[in-house]
Amino acid sequence: MEKKTILYTEDIEMRFGGLYALKNVNIKIYENEILGMIGPNGSGKTTFFNVITGFYKPTGGNFYFLGERLTGKEPYDIMIRGLSRTYQTSRVCFDLTVLDNILIGTHFVQKSRYFDALFNRKKLYKEIEYYKEKAVHLLKIFNPDLVNKLFVRVGSLPFIDRRRVEISRAMISEPKLILLDEPSAGMNADETKELMDDIGKVRSEMKNATIFIIEHDMKVIGTVTERVYALNFGQVIAEGTYKEVSNNIDVKEAYFGKELDNENRFAA
Amino acid sequence: MMKKNRFFDKFIVALVELIVYFYIMIFFRVESVWILIITVILLGVIFYLSKKFKKTFELINDSFTKNSKFATFLIVILMIAFPFVSKLIVPLYIYWLLITIQTFIFAIVALGLNFQAGTTGVMNLSSAAFYGVGAYTAGYLALHYKLPAILTIPLGGIAASIFGLLLFIPIFRARGQYFALITLAFGYMFVLSLNNLNFVGGPQGLKNIPPINLFGYNFQKAPFGTHFYVNYYYLVLIILLIALLIFQRLYNSWIGLTLNYIRDDEPAAKGCGVSTNKWKLMTLLIGNFFMGIGGAIYAHMIGFISPPNFTLTISLLIISIVLLGGSDNIIGVLVGAFILVLIPEKLRVITEYRVMLYGLLIVLILIFRPKGLIPFKERIYDKVIAKEN
């Protein structure tokens, strides 16, 4: 069956002065798949996310989403085309309520602006009610408890719930591509297991979406993803299923170093 | 049983509001500085009691939340009656009326600044300059082009918005504290320019600005045998109430949410598709508009404006009202305006210690209520939406 590519990159290069954070990166994301990206610290994974979401403008190369060239565009220009992301450090606004933090995810799909806020409150409340129902529906999937905490400050919730709020924020606009940046960062084993369940729930909730995950936790990658890219020093060194990639010698070297053979161990 | 409760709630609300209202009158009436000392002690006692008798205070707070429409209605009635009630209680009521008008004008300016600094995190330290743009525009147009107040006041607001664009578009890329410093410099530049531009009177400013004449009603006429200040009082009151309504509605909507997100985590906002620069520009336009309106009314009322009216000190006063009263909270801004304008007036009695005590007040507030006297509240779009939960 012909797999449709929804995002692909052409020789992406990201230079910071003399340092190549990304070099010759060619990645394809197919529709509906769950794609993973692994690599040691500093290999350029988050940089890659930042490039395809517009937070960094690549110094070379291009990337295309649904056939459209998006290189050099600002984040808001890119996200409105159907992407959403979460952040390694789980960026939610602690002082705002759970509902507020999720509603902001609908920013580019909701209709009312200044005029309605001032003069047409009925239309405004109807819209808020509609998206509030959506938010409740999403929260129920992850943690039904949260439904009672819609108007509680997010800062008072435990870390895993804040993550869930962030994921709900990324899902509420029904994006075509969701980018999850190290969603298990800062979690213990139990929480990571809950997270893997959560990702499964995201998948069953949004059947037409594509999910792209950066992860350090190999268990998550192994369980959840269908295909994996491995990055090292800003370049793609392997691609395939998790089993293939984890057995790839370049990947092993990237994580563990070159294997010494007995002759060289006691080099003079 | 239900009916009795609702009446009781409203009674509590009315009682609290009336006590505060008449206390303010007594505050105006008593000449000696002792009233100030007593007030501070009383505030301290209330603060202490609120910690000890948490339940009672929460009960009072709930009464206000449940009956917010009634509470607002009552306050508006009290404010409308203010000139006449104060005439009965306070011998120097004309002087205090003027101070109250000034407080309201600063509250309007502070609401504009609050929309920028409190809600969106755009730290504008030159609010006095835009207040001045509004004042000078209105004054100049009224003086030299004989434009009526119904035009000069909105034009003052629009001029402040345009000046805001001129200042801020070039410096949008600047980060937090550098942005604030540049606005500070702009404030200085503004006053310096005024001192050196002859067509706006230079250091002597504009004088004999015609008073407001609205649809034939001359504001110099004293209504009901009081004083012509009363006319300005009602004008400013109406504009203040409109401003409060506008900002309350903006806060309780997608607008408030988006701006708060820009303030608290700009990259995350961008990641949700917010074009942050455009939104910040809108807050600049809107906030500055209200600053200009405040200045325009001031110009007409006092009839004389000059560069020393719009210095950094005034900018600092406005930002203090926002930060100390409670940023991003319109009631907080109102309370802040009252405290930071009225108390220095009372302190005139002891001029030597005035600035020191004023500083002490600010330090006390920063120690005990660092988020402002009435801090940011969670956004609840409509009680109906919250109830259905």
Side-chain angles (χ1 to χ4, degrees):
Chain A
M1 191 153 61
E2 179 70 35
K3 273 204 263 185
K4 183 175 162 198
T5 310
I6 61 165
L7 187 147
Y8 68 95
T9 70
E10 263 177 9
D11 284 328
I12 289 283
E13 175 197 277
M14 188 69 217
R15 271 178 69 183
F16 295 108
L19 173 74
Y20 282 86
L22 295 172
K23 196 171 181 185
N24 293 121
V25 173
N26 286 296
I27 282 180
K28 273 196 176 58
I29 306 180
Y30 296 117
E31 194 176 31
N32 255 328
E33 68 169 347
I34 304 186
L35 179 67
M37 183 179 264
I38 62 173
N41 278 322
S43 51
K45 308 188 293 293
T46 303
T47 311
F48 183 70
F49 261 27
N50 286 336
V51 164
I52 60 174
T53 50
F55 283 90
Y56 291 160
K57 313 285 184 293
T59 50
N62 285 302
F63 67 97
Y64 301 80
F65 182 67
L66 296 177
E68 205 185 340
R69 183 170 154 265
L70 295 185
T71 323
K73 284 199 187 288
E74 290 295 323
Y76 55 82
D77 242 336
I78 294 177
M79 306 315 263
I80 63 176
R81 283 163 162 79
L83 284 96
S84 70
R85 71 172 288 183
T86 65
Y87 303 83
Q88 199 169 334
T89 50
S90 189
R91 300 184 90 126
V92 286
C93 292
F94 282 21
D95 278 333
L96 299 180
T97 62
V98 168
L99 181 62
D100 272 351
N101 273 289
I102 300 179
L103 282 183
I104 191 71
T106 65
H107 175 81
F108 54 86
V109 290
Q110 55 87 208
K111 296 279 189 308
S112 53
R113 288 281 186 264
Y114 282 93
F115 185 80
D116 296 309
L118 291 175
F119 302 114
N120 197 345
R121 299 294 280 184
K122 237 194 213 154
K123 176 175 168 197
L124 178 79
Y125 288 137
K126 233 170 134 190
E127 231 191 2
I128 294 175
E129 184 67 44
Y130 172 72
Y131 286 112
K132 173 191 158 239
E133 289 306 315
K134 260 186 141 180
V136 165
H137 173 74
L138 285 174
L139 286 175
K140 269 206 190 113
I141 300 173
F142 296 119
N143 183 358
D145 256 344
L146 286 176
V147 176
N148 298 326
K149 298 190 181 161
L150 271 189
F151 295 99
V152 169
R153 284 184 201 216
V154 151
S156 63
L157 295 177
F159 181 70
I160 188 165
D161 280 335
R162 295 208 292 267
R163 262 266 183 245
R164 287 173 167 146
V165 169
E166 198 192 13
I167 296 178
S168 305
R169 180 182 76 193
M171 287 170 67
I172 195 166
S173 56
E174 290 179 29
K176 302 188 187 72
L177 173 62
I178 302 182
L179 306 169
L180 301 175
D181 193 345
E182 295 200 35
S184 79
M187 291 187 184
N188 61 30
D190 286 331
E191 289 166 344
T192 308
K193 186 162 183 315
E194 281 185 60
L195 173 77
M196 290 199 280
D197 291 339
D198 286 351
I199 297 180
K201 291 174 190 169
V202 169
R203 161 47 113 216
S204 50
E205 172 66 20
M206 302 181 58
K207 298 192 178 52
N208 291 325
T210 313
I211 306 177
F212 185 9
I213 309 180
I214 293 178
E215 253 305 339
H216 264 310
D217 190 323
M218 295 305 168
K219 204 160 179 218
V220 174
I221 296 278
T223 319
V224 160
T225 62
E226 298 157 7
R227 193 167 67 100
V228 176
Y229 277 98
L231 231 55
N232 192 25
F233 290 121
Q235 293 186 291
V236 176
I237 55 174
E239 185 246 323
T241 64
Y242 174 67
K243 207 159 177 214
E244 293 164 6
V245 169
S246 57
N247 283 318
N248 180 301
I249 192 159
D250 291 319
V251 173
K252 282 188 179 169
E253 269 178 20
Y255 276 99
F256 303 116
K258 252 184 154 71
E259 187 162 352
L260 292 171
D261 52 305
N262 282 323
E263 284 176 34
N264 288 330
R265 197 189 287 199
F266 300 106
Chain B
M1 187 58 184
M2 279 297 276
K3 257 198 178 165
K4 198 174 181 185
N5 261 338
R6 281 172 76 211
F7 182 70
F8 183 68
D9 270 351
K10 291 200 166 81
F11 176 72
I12 299 271
V13 168
L15 191 66
V16 171
E17 288 189 4
L18 285 170
I19 289 177
V20 173
Y21 188 67
F22 285 105
Y23 189 82
I24 292 180
M25 302 280 188
I26 297 172
F27 188 79
F28 288 167
R29 186 197 163 101
V30 176
E31 296 267 327
S32 88
V33 74
W34 280 105
I35 187 69
L36 188 60
I37 299 174
I38 294 174
T39 309
V40 173
I41 295 177
L42 267 178
L43 285 173
V45 168
I46 293 177
F47 189 68
Y48 173 72
L49 288 176
S50 73
K51 298 276 164 151
K52 217 147 187 232
F53 296 99
K54 253 193 171 168
K55 270 203 211 138
T56 326
F57 274 79
E58 269 169 30
L59 194 76
I60 299 178
N61 207 8
D62 277 343
S63 312
F64 269 88
T65 332
K66 270 187 258 172
N67 295 294
S68 61
K69 281 216 168 98
F70 171 73
T72 319
F73 178 69
L74 186 60
I75 291 184
V76 172
I77 300 281
L78 290 176
M79 287 218 223
I80 294 176
F82 177 73
F84 303 101
V85 176
S86 65
K87 181 172 184 187
L88 295 172
I89 300 182
V90 186
L92 281 175
Y93 83 99
I94 298 175
Y95 171 68
W96 288 108
L97 193 61
L98 184 63
I99 301 298
T100 309
I101 299 175
Q102 182 71 79
T103 308
F104 284 177
I105 291 182
F106 279 145
I108 293 173
V109 175
L111 282 172
L113 180 60
N114 179 49
F115 195 57
Q116 297 173 351
T119 308
T120 320
V122 173
M123 190 50 75
N124 177 0
L125 293 179
S126 54
S127 44
F130 299 107
Y131 176 59
V133 167
Y136 268 89
T137 308
Y140 189 80
L141 290 175
L143 209 51
H144 296 284
Y145 290 91
K146 305 285 189 280
L147 285 187
I150 192 111
L151 283 180
T152 61
I153 295 178
L155 283 174
I158 293 175
S161 294
I162 296 178
F163 258 75
L165 283 183
L166 287 178
L167 166 66
F168 290 109
I169 287 185
I171 67 171
F172 249 128
R173 296 191 182 272
R175 296 255 153 248
Q177 53 264 51
Y178 300 109
F179 184 85
L181 283 174
I182 298 175
T183 61
L184 204 64
F186 179 75
Y188 270 113
M189 278 163 51
F190 180 71
V191 175
L192 278 173
S193 314
L194 285 180
N195 271 318
N196 289 296
L197 286 172
N198 282 320
F199 79 96
V200 284
Q204 281 152 356
L206 296 174
K207 58 183 184 182
N208 293 327
I209 299 173
I212 297 183
N213 195 317
L214 219 52
F215 310 118
Y217 178 69
N218 190 343
F219 271 46
Q220 292 300 115
K221 219 171 56 174
F224 312 115
T226 47
H227 188 274
F228 75 87
Y229 279 159
V230 175
N231 298 319
Y232 287 98
Y233 175 81
Y234 286 119
L235 177 67
V236 178
L237 179 63
I238 291 174
I239 295 185
L240 177 65
L241 291 174
I242 293 176
L244 284 169
L245 184 67
I246 289 178
F247 285 117
Q248 171 67 1
R249 289 195 161 185
L250 289 181
Y251 170 79
N252 249 342
S253 72
W254 300 102
I255 313 290
L257 168 61
T258 310
L259 294 176
N260 278 154
Y261 232 84
I262 295 177
R263 176 194 67 199
D264 283 344
D265 197 336
E266 199 172 331
K270 283 192 192 170
C272 291
V274 178
S275 53
T276 53
N277 281 343
K278 280 197 209 141
W279 281 79
K280 282 187 189 173
L281 218 59
M282 272 307 272
T283 64
L284 266 160
L285 288 178
I286 296 177
N288 278 14
F289 180 74
F290 283 93
M291 295 182 198
I293 297 248
I297 299 179
Y298 177 80
H300 280 293
M301 180 171 82
I302 304 291
F304 165 60
I305 54 175
S306 64
N309 287 129
F310 309 110
T311 56
L312 177 66
T313 318
I314 305 289
S315 289
L316 287 181
L317 171 67
I318 309 287
I319 192 76
S320 305
I321 292 176
V322 172
L323 293 177
L324 297 177
S327 48
D328 200 21
N329 188 317
I330 58 178
I331 305 293
V333 168
L334 212 52
V335 169
F338 262 90
I339 293 183
L340 289 178
V341 177
L342 289 182
I343 292 191
E345 286 304 316
K346 263 298 172 209
L347 288 173
R348 277 191 199 281
V349 184
I350 33 168
T351 350
E352 303 107 63
Y353 302 104
R354 189 172 156 207
V355 180
M356 182 187 93
L357 288 171
Y358 185 57
L360 185 66
L361 172 75
I362 293 182
V363 170
L364 282 174
I365 295 181
L366 284 174
I367 293 176
F368 291 106
R369 305 281 276 182
K371 285 206 164 168
L373 284 173
I374 304 184
F376 171 72
K377 266 169 70 179
E378 287 94 359
R379 179 175 293 103
I380 297 180
Y381 292 95
D382 186 59
K383 279 177 270 188
V384 176
I385 296 184
K387 230 187 255 174
E388 266 190 70
N389 219 17

